[in-house]
Amino acid sequence: MDKVSRRDVLVSTAAGGLMTAATHAHAATFGNPDLPPQGAINTEGNPSSTTIIGPNNPAISGQFPAALSPPPTDVGSLPMFWASFNNAPRRIQNGGWARQVTQADFQISEEIAGVNMRLTRGGIRELHWHVFAEWAFVTKGTCRITTIDQDGRANVEDVHQGGLWYFPAGLPHSLQGIGEDGCEFILCFDNGHASEYDTLLVNEWMAHTPPEVLAMNFAVPVESFKNIPLHDLYIFQGKVPGPLSEDQQQAQGDAGPPTLRSSYPLSEAAPAKKTRGGEVRIADSSNFPASKTIAAALVRIHPKGMREMHWHPNADEWLYIIEGEGELTVFETGPKVVTQNFNAGDIGYVKRSQGHYLRNTGLTDMVYLEVFRSSYFSDVSLSDWLAHTPPAMVAQTLNVDVETIERFPKNKPVILPI
């Protein structure tokens, strides 16, 4: 081995001393656990380190303060879990419009695809069906829905603001705006690849069927179909329908209605949990039996409130911000922790079993949907878990005293403060 000179030892020792001093100068602390430290704390004495001197869009960066300057507890990276209908192109028709965010646009969204649609008063989304189930939440106005089951029993219902509908995969349906200004709603399909623009349309099938076949199938003369549309209508302006009872009677005839309703008035349901911080309403197959593949929660968080630290063991979460603004933080193994900002019209996505919480960062209530590809709603509360674990175990794990642990909420608060 080469001999090590006294000078080399002194240089090495000095370097080690400098490294130790630097480590102590920026040591890990409560609220900033990583080495090297994360966030703006690194810029002490050099504030220009946080500035952007290259190209920048203030209108966009100003909406994402947590991305521009992440909390010092954030660490690592995660796939982008933010998307928005606000920058999704609209397909505008005479009678309304639609825009969508699928996995093609939002890679992480594997289990749910989302659509935002508007129908004018009388506007019709033409008769169609999908290979996926359709779930919807009305954000404004009223929509008249029509469908039929495998036994020929028709359902015609009016779904008002705050209400849901659900159509199982493969069952045909149509939608029409009947509110004073029509309606607007959010659609969710139980597959991230599903596209609103790739549906089975009745007009397209009939236009591409020989006239003699149509005549035989419907037992009317060929001439009856000479004026059918040769291209899809998709969304078109129609006449406002008559009373609901008349449409129901005409559609159902002697067969009667299906055994399960296609709609559920979620916003009118009693809250599953209500605290000083807000409230949550849940719709799944337990109270909306038709909804076999999608469960949801309608969450309202008051200013300075928080959806508690939790995770979902049974499904990914697709979330949609209806009103207000907030900050979502997601935790994954690694550790990886990322915080992102959300506003009305934005979409979030959290993978199954990833820990997360959502804070209201605005001055008004934040209202949003949690949607899951599951027949039931399920979440695990961090505080509830720790409060129901032997205190001595938790105390040794967290290095806190037992008295503190005994004050943890034991009632699964859901929305804080309780």
Side-chain angles (χ1 to χ4, degrees):
M1 293 180 62
D2 295 335
K3 292 183 178 178
V4 180
S5 69
R6 181 172 180 274
R7 180 179 180 279
D8 291 335
V9 172
L10 291 174
V11 170
S12 177
T13 302
L18 289 172
M19 187 176 296
T20 301
T23 299
H24 284 305
H26 295 286
T29 62
F30 174 60
N32 183 28
D34 294 296
L35 288 175
Q38 303 292 313
I41 191 172
N42 284 314
T43 68
E44 291 178 1
N46 189 19
S48 63
S49 296
T50 65
T51 59
I52 299 173
I53 62 174
N56 182 46
N57 186 333
I60 293 178
S61 60
Q63 293 186 36
F64 301 97
L68 195 65
S69 184
T73 46
D74 277 16
V75 60
S77 63
L78 288 170
M80 176 60 75
F81 53 83
W82 175 95
S84 186
F85 286 122
N86 293 304
N87 60 1
R90 288 191 299 169
R91 180 178 175 182
I92 300 175
Q93 310 266 177
N94 182 24
W97 53 258
R99 53 188 175 183
Q100 67 177 11
V101 176
T102 72
Q103 194 182 31
D105 319 290
F106 191 25
Q107 184 177 5
I108 193 175
S109 188
E110 296 178 342
E111 296 190 349
I112 300 289
V115 178
N116 182 201
M117 186 176 291
R118 159 96 163 100
L119 297 176
T120 60
R121 180 170 172 79
I124 296 173
R125 169 65 167 98
E126 77 162 282
L127 284 80
H128 65 285
W129 68 101
H130 315 273
V131 296
F132 308 108
E134 174 181 311
W135 178 98
F137 177 86
V138 179
T139 55
K140 293 288 183 181
T142 302
C143 186
R144 180 161 296 180
I145 63 172
T146 70
T147 188
I148 193 170
D149 67 11
Q150 300 93 322
D151 298 315
R153 295 171 298 190
N155 217 10
V156 183
E157 299 180 48
D158 288 346
V159 186
H160 305 286
Q161 181 172 327
L164 310 176
W165 71 72
Y166 179 88
F167 302 130
L171 293 189
H173 51 278
S174 65
L175 314 169
Q176 185 170 22
I178 63 168
E180 287 300 316
D181 192 24
C183 60
E184 190 170 326
F185 46 86
I186 295 297
L187 297 175
C188 289
F189 300 116
D190 59 359
N191 187 296
H193 296 283
S195 173
E196 166 64 18
Y197 308 141
D198 187 21
T199 56
L200 296 139
L201 303 175
V202 67
N203 277 334
E204 289 185 336
W205 192 11
M206 293 184 70
H208 290 272
T209 300
E212 61 272 18
V213 174
L214 291 177
M216 180 176 291
N217 189 77
F218 293 102
V220 295
V222 169
E223 291 74 21
S224 303
F225 300 101
K226 65 181 181 181
N227 294 322
I228 65 171
L230 300 182
H231 304 284
D232 72 84
L233 300 176
Y234 186 55
I235 294 174
F236 64 98
Q237 185 61 47
K239 298 178 181 179
V240 178
L244 176 62
S245 58
E246 290 183 9
D247 271 6
Q248 289 175 330
Q249 184 177 5
Q250 292 171 358
Q252 292 168 2
D254 296 333
T259 55
L260 298 178
R261 288 177 57 87
S262 301
S263 68
Y264 178 73
L266 177 58
S267 64
E268 299 175 16
K273 176 73 73 169
K274 186 172 184 177
T275 70
R276 290 190 298 116
E279 59 190 32
V280 59
R281 292 172 169 81
I282 294 171
D284 61 15
S285 58
S286 67
N287 56 2
F288 184 22
S291 191
K292 301 297 186 185
T293 64
I294 293 185
L298 177 62
V299 184
R300 178 179 293 272
I301 305 176
H302 301 322
K304 299 183 180 180
M306 183 178 86
R307 175 72 165 94
E308 67 168 323
M309 298 170 74
H310 68 285
W311 65 93
H312 303 281
N314 62 321
D316 296 355
E317 175 183 335
W318 184 94
L319 63 92
Y320 172 71
I321 310 301
I322 299 172
E323 59 184 80
E325 57 188 276
E327 200 173 74
L328 172 66
T329 299
V330 180
F331 163 73
E332 178 60 288
T333 60
K336 299 174 182 176
V337 177
V338 175
T339 303
Q340 187 61 277
N341 299 92
F342 288 81
N343 292 274
D346 291 347
I347 304 164
Y349 199 89
V350 183
K351 301 291 286 185
R352 180 183 325 217
S353 293
Q354 286 182 337
H356 56 285
Y357 58 91
L358 183 60
R359 295 192 298 160
N360 183 340
T361 56
L363 301 177
T364 61
D365 282 2
M366 180 183 185
V367 182
Y368 72 98
L369 289 168
E370 299 178 0
V371 181
F372 309 90
R373 190 175 71 184
S374 174
S375 63
Y376 64 97
F377 175 89
S378 176
D379 67 349
V380 178
S381 161
L382 177 60
S383 67
D384 203 40
W385 173 38
L386 296 181
H388 288 90
T389 299
M393 173 74 72
V394 180
Q396 294 172 82
T397 301
L398 300 181
N399 196 27
V400 298
D401 57 74
V402 171
E403 290 74 19
T404 296
I405 296 163
E406 290 176 344
R407 294 200 298 269
F408 287 1
K410 297 180 175 62
N411 59 346
K412 196 174 186 179
V414 183
I415 309 293
L416 298 165
I418 54 177

